[in-house]
Amino acid sequence: MNIRCLAIDDEPLALQQLVAYINKVPFLELAAQCQSALEARDFLLNDTADAIFCDINMPDLNGMDFVKSLAAPPLVVFTTAYSEYAVEGFRVNAVDYLLKPFGLQDFQRAANRIKERLQTEDGRLKENSPKTDIPDNSFFLKTDYRIVKVAVSDIRYIEGMSEYLKVWLEGQPKPIVTLLSMKKMEERLPDNFMRIHRSYIINLDKIQEVNKNRVIMDADTYLPIGDLYKEAFQAYLDTRFLGK
C-alpha cells in the first residue's frame, strides 16, 4: 500500500523536515509539498491525496479552517507548536496531532495510524465486481423525523460524512441526510453503483465525464477518485471504452 501524502507548512524548514520524514516511511508517498493552505487547496482541485500533514498556524487560511472547507477531506494529521489546538483538531476527526518539535518516532506513530485507518476502511469494502443479489428498486430512509421512500434509479451519488450519509437525488437541490454507514449502503445498492472514494459512491449511469482524477456528474459536481479505488474504476471504464 502506497499512501499519497500532502505536506503543508508555511515555514520552509518545518516543511523540509516534514518531507524528509515522509520519504523515510516506506509506505508513504509524497504527492506534493505546499507552503500555504491556499496552495494545497489548488492542488486538491486537480489531484488527490490519501492523507495530509498540515500545520495549523498559517497566514491567509489556517490549517484547521482549510480542512473544514474540504468537501471530502483526506485523513488529517495536524502539526503545530501550540497544544491548545489539540482538542479542536480531534473535533474535525484528525487521525493524530503532532506537537512541534516532533521527531521521526512521533511521525512514524502518526503514519502508522493513517495506515491502520485506511486498511480498516479498505477491509470493509466489498469488491467492486457485479453483485449477484439484485435488490429491490427502492428502499426507505429515515431523515429528521420522517421516513422517506427512495427510488434507487433516482440516486445520483452518495456522500459519506462521519456517521451520516448525504443521498443526492435526481432533480432535488438538497440531499437526504440519514444516519447510516457507507458499508450498509453499498450492500443495498445494485451493480450500477460503485465506490470511487472513501467518501463517495456514485451511480455509474449518471456520469457525464471523467477528467483526470475526477468524475464529473454535472456542471457543478466534481467528485474525486481515491487511490484505493482507481484500479476498480478504471477496470469499469475499460469494459465500456470504445476506440483506442
Side-chain angles (χ1 to χ4, degrees):
M1 171 187 278
N2 278 339
I3 300 172
R4 284 168 53 83
C5 298
L6 191 57
I8 312 167
D9 201 307
D10 64 307
E11 298 177 4
L13 290 179
L15 182 60
Q16 183 179 346
Q17 182 191 55
L18 204 51
V19 169
Y21 284 167
I22 289 172
N23 290 331
K24 286 179 183 291
V25 179
F27 55 81
L28 295 185
E29 173 189 337
L30 182 67
Q33 50 181 303
C34 303
Q35 286 191 270
S36 72
L38 297 178
E39 185 182 344
R41 188 165 62 184
D42 289 342
F43 171 84
L44 291 174
L45 287 174
N46 299 296
D47 211 330
T48 60
D50 300 307
I52 59 177
F53 292 87
C54 184
D55 184 35
I56 293 178
N57 292 86
M58 292 185 290
D60 298 323
L61 179 64
N62 70 49
M64 199 76 67
D65 291 338
F66 162 64
V67 171
K68 290 177 181 177
S69 73
L70 298 176
L75 298 181
V76 180
V77 173
F78 284 118
T79 66
T80 185
Y82 303 94
S83 59
E84 63 266 23
Y85 286 109
V87 173
E88 188 178 355
F90 287 117
R91 282 177 182 164
V92 296
N93 203 27
V95 174
D96 207 346
Y97 176 91
L98 293 173
L99 186 62
K100 297 179 181 180
F102 54 87
L104 179 58
Q105 186 175 356
D106 292 327
F107 181 86
Q108 179 76 61
R109 180 201 69 218
N112 287 339
R113 288 183 175 176
I114 288 173
K115 184 179 181 181
E116 289 168 5
R117 180 80 68 88
L118 287 173
Q119 285 177 332
T120 299
E121 292 178 356
D122 191 32
R124 290 173 179 166
L125 294 177
K126 297 189 72 177
E127 291 294 329
N128 283 313
S129 56
K131 301 174 177 66
T132 56
D133 297 323
I134 304 301
D136 296 333
N137 59 7
S138 65
F139 50 75
F140 290 89
L141 291 175
K142 186 175 182 180
T143 178
D144 296 325
Y145 299 101
R146 301 176 297 132
I147 296 176
V148 297
K149 185 177 181 180
V150 176
V152 173
S153 60
D154 286 344
I155 299 174
R156 297 174 60 239
Y157 66 96
I158 295 140
E159 179 181 356
M161 45 176 207
S162 188
E163 298 174 345
Y164 290 84
L165 297 181
K166 288 182 179 179
V167 181
W168 294 87
L169 302 176
E170 199 73 49
Q172 298 295 325
K174 293 183 179 180
I176 294 172
V177 180
T178 186
L179 180 61
L180 194 67
S181 70
M182 291 287 272
K183 179 175 183 290
K184 193 73 173 177
M185 179 61 81
E186 277 186 291
E187 292 172 350
R188 192 65 181 80
L189 294 170
D191 58 4
N192 61 312
F193 285 81
M194 180 178 285
R195 193 164 181 177
I196 61 164
H197 188 277
R198 67 189 186 90
S199 298
Y200 291 106
I201 300 171
I202 63 169
N203 185 337
L204 298 168
D205 297 335
K206 306 291 186 182
I207 295 174
Q208 288 191 2
E209 185 179 334
V210 179
N211 188 333
K212 295 182 179 178
N213 292 317
R214 300 181 297 175
V215 172
I216 301 173
M217 306 300 288
D218 57 46
D220 301 314
T221 309
Y222 295 70
L223 305 180
I225 304 169
D227 286 345
L228 291 174
Y229 308 88
K230 281 182 181 177
E231 186 175 348
F233 184 65
Q234 186 60 53
Y236 162 78
L237 293 179
D238 290 344
T239 63
R240 288 156 178 81
F241 191 82
L242 296 181
K244 297 181 180 179

